Amino acid sequence: MCGITGYIGHRDAYPIVINGLKRLEYRGYDSAGIMMYDGETMHLSKTKGKVSDLEIITNREEERKKGKIGIGHTRWATHGVPNDVNSHPHFSQSGDLVIVHNGIIENYDTIKKELISRGYEFKSDTDTEVLVNLIEEVKKSEGCKLGKAVQLALTNVIGAYAIAVFDKTKPNEIVVARLGSPIAIGVGKNNEEFFVASDASPFIEYTKDAIYLEDGELAIIKKDKGIKVRKIENDKEIDANIQKLQLSLEQIEKGGYDHFMLKEIYEQPKAIIDTYRGRMLANEGVIRMAGVDDNMSKFLNADRIIVIACGTSWHAGLVGEYLFEDMARIPVEVEYASEFRYRNPIITPKDVVIAISQSGETADTLAAIKLAKSKGAFVFGICNVVGSSIARETHAGAYTHAGPEIGVASTKAFTTQITVLSLIALKLAQAKGTLSTSAVNKYLQTMQQIPAQVDKLLQIDAQVKEIAAVYKDAKNCLYLGRGFNFPVALEGALKLKEISYIHAEGYPAAEMKHGPIALIDENMPVFVIATSKGHYEKVVSNIQEIKSRSGKIIAIVTEGDETVKEIADHVIEIPDTEEAFTPLLTTIPFQLLSYHIAVMLGKNVDQPRNLAKSVTVE
Ligand code: F6R
């Protein structure tokens, strides 16, 4: 979490840094700050609140915006409550060094005590202020330059970090480093200017050349001179790997929608096509995925598949369990990465682990991957962000081509993850012969219809909005589904919780009678997925049970359904498809519903409280 950005070059740094912070606000938004160096003085502006609050401060005095060097930060608090003092950047004791930091320094307390014994005083409660003072102390005691001081200091640090440090006594350079938290460096023409950011979005309109630091690397960025990349552990210089970015400015703007979330919901037909394009030839029954093709024997000889993920990606993994078991007959376990990593799991080289992550930066998922690798498992990644830590840490993988997902609530990531999982399941079913050729072909042809069906489904937006208006003041909601749609019930409840702050729970429909049914009365809206192919009669019985206890029923049914229409208070129809693909459709009304309720309640849809888009801390 936390977004960091910086600039050193010949342009005015302020607009680059402040606009960069706005693009990185998805990473955290409880406080924001900027340091501008005007050639003589470092001007610090920081505040609790959003980047827009920071702008109120910087707009008061032009001085705060002057200079060709700047670093900025948007925070998701870990150590120390969100307030002005704990906001970044942080100065060192002498006032010469300034730092922005994303991550957690786990041994900060020990270091802090040591520094206090040497006369350091601390203004904030942050681990970051400890780190900048440690760098200062090393610089003084070793008599070295900033780059060396940062390198030596970091060898004493336990934790995760992406940092950018500036030293006003050597004002032609910025030093950046990473371990566990991402950092990208944009390289301007002729080494005349450089950009620093947690992802490439802040500098996409300035340069397409970027260096993504690897874990344990440090870069000394010198204006007009270039970049030196070094290993933190031994200070050895290594080659900087400059990559060409594919991202465009248009992709990271709202494009006329009120919120990123709505834009991303509407992008799903295209995102699904982009994800399967080039990977399937529906009429010829061909599925191509280099990461799977090249490692087919690993998949075919696997005793089981273990899926690890968090949040929405975990829900997609649960859909994956149904897909793999049903189509390819491979046993699957789906694990919360945060639990998996700490419970001494039994993993062998005959296990295939699939790690799913939109951001590719989720700390728990990354740690679970490392654990699985250390036990000899083959790890396959499904990520959206190209070049992300998880994409690089896994043995092989497949990208979802959803494009940047900025809204904190995941939408198109979910449907594109399911698309990739479906293709892998079908590919394995083909290779194992667990599905006939005609069955695979039928699935592929049906998959091709999904984007148009999602498009059609999006036209029910007005109907969903009316339903949202009826239930927006509910205090609790239940979401029920069975089989492939049980994970969709979980996902529907998560979407509502995270952006509207209404308490919601998802359950397998038949579990209702084992407890949740006690909650049902006339004030309880129950959202039920009752599509025609998924244990339909059983779900209809569950709906009857809700009805007899006066619960309000909002049902998602297959087009043409008459039975549920008779019982439910509201019915949302989805086009008919294979049962295995229904999650790609049933999830859409739930996304729209959460969106409209949150808007009606006046909540910040794209930046819900306490959340951040990429969770790079445990
Ligand atoms: C929910 C949401 C989170 C993420 C979770 C995992 O809408 O966005 O639950 O799904 O934090 O993130 P990734 O997929 O980036 O690993």
Side-chain angles (χ1 to χ4, degrees):
M1 350 270 251
C2 299
I4 69 180
T5 186
Y7 176 79
I8 180 164
H10 51 83
R11 301 177 206 245
D12 289 335
Y14 180 78
I16 298 168
V17 177
I18 207 86
N19 291 330
L21 288 182
K22 285 180 193 164
R23 290 196 192 142
L24 292 177
E25 253 189 325
Y26 74 88
R27 302 181 65 85
Y29 34 79
D30 58 45
S31 39
I34 187 168
M35 182 292 297
M36 291 293 308
Y37 177 69
D38 65 9
E40 269 177 28
T41 309
M42 293 200 280
H43 295 280
L44 180 68
S45 312
K46 56 184 193 172
T47 181
K48 177 176 186 245
K50 297 188 185 294
V51 178
S52 53
D53 298 304
L54 175 64
E55 280 182 297
I56 296 173
I57 298 175
T58 51
N59 284 339
R60 280 187 208 138
E61 291 163 87
E62 274 312 299
E63 273 201 327
R64 292 177 181 271
K65 302 184 188 177
K66 270 197 201 144
K68 313 283 179 197
I69 296 176
I71 55 175
H73 189 266
T74 174
R75 180 167 187 244
W76 187 87
T78 55
H79 289 78
V81 294
N83 62 22
D84 296 357
V85 179
N86 288 335
S87 310
H88 300 213
H90 288 281
F91 282 135
S92 63
Q93 178 124 313
S94 69
D96 287 345
L97 306 190
V98 64
I99 191 170
V100 284
H101 168 218
N102 165 25
I104 293 182
I105 307 301
E106 288 171 10
N107 59 339
Y108 84 101
D109 201 34
T110 320
I111 301 171
K112 188 172 183 175
K113 285 187 182 124
E114 175 63 28
L115 289 170
I116 289 172
S117 75
R118 293 183 192 203
Y120 282 81
E121 284 171 11
F122 292 87
K123 299 187 185 74
S124 76
D125 307 317
T126 63
D127 49 346
T128 307
E129 195 186 3
V130 174
L131 181 55
V132 71
N133 279 320
L134 175 65
I135 297 168
E136 175 153 294
E137 177 59 20
V138 171
K139 189 168 173 270
K140 268 201 296 189
S141 56
E142 297 291 320
C144 58
K145 291 184 184 161
L146 180 66
K148 182 70 185 166
V150 172
Q151 181 259 325
L152 286 172
L154 290 179
T155 54
N156 288 302
V157 155
I158 300 169
Y161 50 77
I163 54 170
V165 196
F166 174 74
D167 176 358
K168 90 164 181 216
T169 66
K170 206 98 192 325
N172 60 341
E173 66 181 29
I174 293 178
V175 176
V176 299
R178 88 159 257 176
L179 184 72
S181 299
I183 198 134
I185 304 164
V187 182
K189 246 195 267 159
N190 309 325
N191 285 332
E192 280 167 4
E193 58 175 351
F194 298 95
F195 308 81
V196 170
S198 299
D199 70 35
S201 61
F203 54 79
I204 194 65
E205 64 262 56
Y206 302 103
T207 178
K208 295 271 189 218
D209 292 330
I211 298 170
Y212 288 92
L213 284 193
E214 298 284 349
D215 272 347
E217 288 179 2
L218 169 152
I220 300 164
I221 305 168
K222 286 198 176 155
K223 190 184 148 203
D224 293 327
K225 292 211 171 124
I227 298 178
K228 283 201 171 27
V229 180
R230 296 180 173 278
K231 284 266 177 214
I232 294 168
E233 58 175 357
N234 55 18
D235 207 22
K236 272 217 177 100
E237 190 170 338
I238 50 171
D239 287 340
N241 173 20
I242 300 185
Q243 301 181 23
K244 276 272 171 236
L245 295 171
Q246 303 299 329
L247 199 66
S248 72
L249 188 57
E250 199 190 22
Q251 282 179 304
I252 52 170
E253 289 183 333
K254 277 193 208 147
Y257 288 89
D258 288 344
H259 298 96
F260 280 111
M261 182 182 177
L262 191 62
K263 174 184 175 232
E264 288 155 9
I265 291 172
Y266 273 82
E267 277 173 349
Q268 286 175 109
K270 179 174 180 304
I272 294 171
I273 295 176
D274 288 345
T275 298
Y276 70 55
R277 180 184 291 125
R279 289 176 167 158
M280 67 177 202
L281 298 174
N283 294 332
E284 286 135 62
V286 174
I287 306 163
R288 285 196 208 111
M289 257 190 188
V292 180
D293 290 325
D294 297 347
N295 298 287
M296 189 48 99
S297 62
K298 297 242 168 36
F299 281 97
L300 294 183
N301 295 324
D303 283 341
R304 59 182 176 162
I305 291 175
I306 304 171
V307 178
I308 47 177
C310 302
T312 292
S313 298
W314 184 79
H315 296 155
L318 281 180
V319 177
E321 177 177 16
Y322 286 87
L323 290 164
F324 285 117
E325 294 199 343
D326 186 51
M327 295 174 171
R329 309 300 298 146
I330 303 176
V332 178
E333 285 167 31
V334 187
E335 302 260 8
Y336 285 116
S338 53
E339 287 298 310
F340 179 84
R341 62 181 288 197
Y342 282 122
R343 70 169 172 71
N344 195 12
I346 299 163
I347 314 163
T348 75
K350 288 205 76 184
D351 289 324
V352 164
V353 170
I354 299 185
I356 309 176
S357 174
Q358 186 287 129
S359 62
E361 301 295 344
T362 302
D364 284 321
T365 310
L366 199 51
I369 290 168
K370 289 181 181 161
L371 176 68
K373 278 172 74 180
S374 74
K375 307 240 177 194
F378 169 71
V379 186
F380 186 90
I382 299 178
C383 294
N384 190 38
V385 177
V386 176
S388 56
S389 303
I390 292 177
R392 285 179 299 177
E393 191 62 44
T394 42
H395 294 114
Y399 283 115
T400 51
H401 295 296
E405 192 181 65
I406 312 280
V408 164
S410 230
T411 52
K412 59 180 180 169
F414 182 63
T415 42
T416 53
Q417 286 164 349
I418 294 173
T419 305
V420 169
L421 288 162
S422 304
L423 291 180
I424 300 174
L426 285 168
K427 174 121 199 114
L428 298 182
Q430 218 173 28
K432 285 186 74 181
T434 48
L435 284 180
S436 66
T437 307
S438 61
V440 172
N441 291 1
K442 184 158 174 262
Y443 271 119
L444 294 180
Q445 279 153 15
T446 309
M447 170 63 85
Q448 257 187 335
Q449 294 163 9
I450 295 286
Q453 291 180 324
V454 174
D455 215 15
K456 181 171 172 206
L457 199 44
L458 288 166
Q459 291 163 20
I460 57 154
D461 198 8
Q463 186 204 351
V464 177
K465 201 168 171 181
E466 280 170 23
I467 298 174
V470 178
Y471 297 105
K472 70 176 180 15
D473 297 317
K475 297 284 171 269
N476 298 288
C477 294
L478 273 183
Y479 284 72
L480 304 177
R482 286 191 85 149
F484 285 95
N485 282 296
F486 156 53
V488 179
L490 297 180
E491 175 62 7
L494 178 64
K495 287 289 86 85
L496 189 68
K497 275 186 269 212
E498 64 185 335
I499 59 168
S500 70
Y501 319 146
I502 295 173
H503 176 242
E505 295 296 336
Y507 275 96
E511 270 296 300
M512 192 181 59
K513 58 186 172 294
H514 299 290
I517 198 163
L519 296 168
I520 293 177
D521 61 15
E522 65 284 3
N523 298 317
M524 175 67 89
V526 187
F527 298 89
V528 191
I529 304 165
T531 46
S532 64
K533 289 174 191 145
H535 317 282
Y536 177 73
E537 287 78 16
K538 309 266 180 216
V539 178
V540 172
S541 303
N542 297 139
I543 294 177
Q544 295 282 15
E545 290 156 12
I546 302 163
K547 184 80 179 171
S548 18
R549 285 154 185 87
S550 308
K552 298 281 177 283
I553 300 154
I554 306 96
I556 298 186
V557 299
T558 309
E559 266 169 3
D561 184 294
E562 291 302 331
T563 313
V564 177
K565 220 176 252 172
E566 296 289 310
I567 325 169
D569 296 271
H570 308 269
V571 160
I572 298 169
E573 291 188 326
I574 64 151
D576 192 19
T577 185
E578 292 286 345
E579 188 194 349
F581 297 155
T582 49
L584 293 166
L585 303 178
T586 51
T587 197
I588 308 288
F590 287 163
Q591 295 171 347
L592 289 169
L593 184 95
S594 311
Y595 172 78
H596 288 303
I597 290 184
V599 171
M600 285 170 194
L601 295 178
K603 306 296 184 210
N604 188 335
V605 173
D606 285 333
Q607 296 173 346
R609 71 181 178 204
N610 303 339
L611 293 175
K613 186 70 184 159
S614 68
V615 185
T616 54
V617 294
E618 312 190 19

